Amino acid sequence: GVILLMFGVGLHFSLKDLLSVRAVAIPGALVQIAGATGMGWGLATLLGWPTSGGIIFGLSLSVASTVVLLKALQDRRLTDSDRGRIAVGWLIVEDIATVLALVMIPAFAGLPNGATLIADPFVSFVERLAGHTLDIYWVLAITLVKLTAFVGFMLVVGRRIIPAILHATAHTGSRELFRLAVLAIALGVAAGAAYLFGVSLALGA
């Protein structure tokens, strides 16, 4: 259920919508993440925590729940409003930042180079080819390249291939087959993104 609800973000929001609210959503999300992280770090410092623990605590506070807010917007029928588009765009920026934070946190936490909080199969493959462990900056660079490639891939597949599949399925006249196709696409995208980035299926969706 959570996977399907998260996948609904993509159904209710497009890159065009994100770009239309980018002047508010992108800087707003980044400022909010930085502000919450700073406040969390400040509180942790007052409590005597180490700097690395304070930063991780602050990053944890900075991430909003996409599932909860999306459900609230849908219940109030605000998803397609200007405020709804800004809110969903804000959440998308936060989700992307979360993927990057999961890669960067080990650098702040003082973990060994190459240690990450996500099991990234692609990074492991590159490490085997290179014959040594990659440092955190290489891992971050690989993650950015994968994120860009995945977004580009989904723009092509999402605009052309998936609608064609659903159109052909709808013409069969079978409601059950159409539901199955939608479910398979939603779970397939979630599983593919989760495997590519080494994150949960919900975040992959």
Side-chain angles (χ1 to χ4, degrees), residues 14-30:
S14 66
L15 182 63
K16 182 179 178 180
D17 292 330
L18 177 59
L19 293 177
S20 69
V21 297
R22 66 185 183 277
V24 177
I26 295 177
L30 295 178

Side-chain angles (χ1 to χ4, degrees), residues 13-103:
F13 206 79
S14 66
L15 182 63
K16 182 179 178 180
D17 292 330
L18 177 59
L19 293 177
S20 69
V21 297
R22 66 185 183 277
V24 177
I26 295 177
L30 295 178
V31 169
Q32 182 256 321
I33 291 172
T37 301
M39 288 188 288
W41 172 77
L43 177 60
T45 301
L46 291 176
L47 295 174
W49 292 15
T51 300
S52 58
I55 292 174
I56 293 174
F57 176 63
L59 285 171
S60 301
L61 294 177
S62 70
V63 180
S65 173
T66 304
V67 174
V68 173
L69 185 53
L70 182 61
K71 186 66 169 63
L73 289 173
Q74 289 175 338
D75 289 343
R76 291 165 177 78
R77 298 179 181 178
L78 295 174
T79 308
D80 295 324
S81 66
D82 290 339
R83 289 178 294 171
R85 283 193 289 269
I86 290 173
V88 176
W90 196 301
L91 291 170
I92 290 174
V93 174
E94 284 190 352
D95 288 342
I96 293 173
T98 299
V99 174
L100 299 178
L102 289 172
V103 177

Side-chain angles (χ1 to χ4, degrees), residues 155-172:
L155 285 176
V156 174
V157 173
R159 285 190 175 188
R160 299 180 183 277
I161 299 178
I162 290 178
I165 292 173
L166 293 178
H167 184 73
T169 306
H171 273 279
T172 64

